[in-house]
Amino acid sequence: MKREELGRFLIPQTVIVVEAMQRIDSNAKGILFVVDESEKLIGVVTDGDIRRWLIQTGDLQGEISHIMNKNPKVITCRERKRAKEYMEKYLITALPVVTKENRIKDIIFKEEEGGEENGELNLPLLEVPVVIMAGGKGTRLYPYTKILPKPLIPIGDIPIMERIINEFRKYGAEDFHATVNYRKSMIKSYFSDNISDYTLNYVEEDMPLGTAGSLTLLGKELHKPFIVTNCDILIHADYGDIYRYHLESGNELTMVTALKNIVVPYGVVHSTEKGRIHSMEEKPKLSYFVNTGMYILNPELLSDIPEHTLFHMTDLADKLLKEGRGVGMYPISEESFLDMGEFEEMRRMEEKLNLKAE
């Protein structure tokens, strides 16, 4: 690995969480190695470590030194031939090769050593229902949606809804439900010719019921925690881990959230009493977690949704929060959330998936 490429995986311990998430996004390997001033290895941090920190604290400004594992597994240059054996023994996917001074000379990744990237066959969503909200008109995507319903708008040469289903299929999901309204016959016609190894049932709305209201139409079919997703998003994350987190957290509702960084395009002025300026900040960056439109719900929540009424998932979350009930979040990075709700975001989705717009 060249020196400049190696630098994508090395960070100082003073880096804050939000910056580490961006660095992990850029290297696409889910891991960073922490070095001191003399570039000696002192720790390792993964996207999972960061996620656990955020769930526990919600602190995006904490230094990475508070999160890192201070005893990372390493291998010396002389032992390099044993890398695969070492990685299998300790169940790790990235192994730094260090000098006798404990400086990183190279990083070996599991796939480079011929390991199975996904390990043993794992289908954590095999019996988990997935509900896709496909009934909206997609007004933000006019004039495309004057011709096609939003679920059938292609990203590359595959409709967005089919891409969503394909992502869930990787984790074994085979029980799909789609709430449909606008141009529903086109959606049903397309999938009737393309379904092979999963089932897709339709929930037809006679009137718009919102992203939660339509769930009351299939309540009798949902007997275990289920997943709800908008039809215009793609989430690049471990769906099995998201589902496991919901089950273990005790939440009634878990919302998948994504980091969103916003740069203020001006110099910001901070003042005190009597209009005195005490500091200025040039183009500061604000960081928030936003709702992606993917949720995991306990089936009992269906009784909290009014029938025959326009009611959104955010209305349900607000209701539960006011009642002091369990609503949690599963945080993912900014680049793990792709939204095609607007033209600019649709182009970004195509670029992220390495596709050319038709």
Side-chain angles (χ1 to χ4, degrees), residues 92-143:
I92 55 178
T93 57
L95 182 64
V97 181
V98 299
T99 65
K100 60 182 180 181
E101 293 84 14
N102 209 37
R103 292 189 176 92
I104 298 180
K105 191 169 182 66
D106 198 1
I107 302 171
I108 300 172
F109 295 98
K110 188 174 182 180
E111 59 268 26
E112 296 171 1
E113 293 299 301
E116 292 292 334
E117 192 169 349
N118 294 322
E120 296 179 1
L121 185 63
N122 185 19
L123 303 175
L125 302 185
L126 186 59
E127 298 180 352
V128 177
V130 177
V131 182
I132 302 172
M133 296 297 170
K137 292 185 176 181
T139 53
R140 292 182 299 166
L141 289 175
Y142 278 178

Side-chain angles (χ1 to χ4, degrees), residues 218-238:
L218 47 77
K220 294 181 180 179
E221 300 180 42
L222 303 174
H223 306 292
K224 64 186 301 181
F226 60 96
I227 298 171
V228 174
T229 180
N230 290 349
C231 73
D232 55 4
I233 64 167
L234 278 178
I235 301 294
H236 288 310
D238 185 337

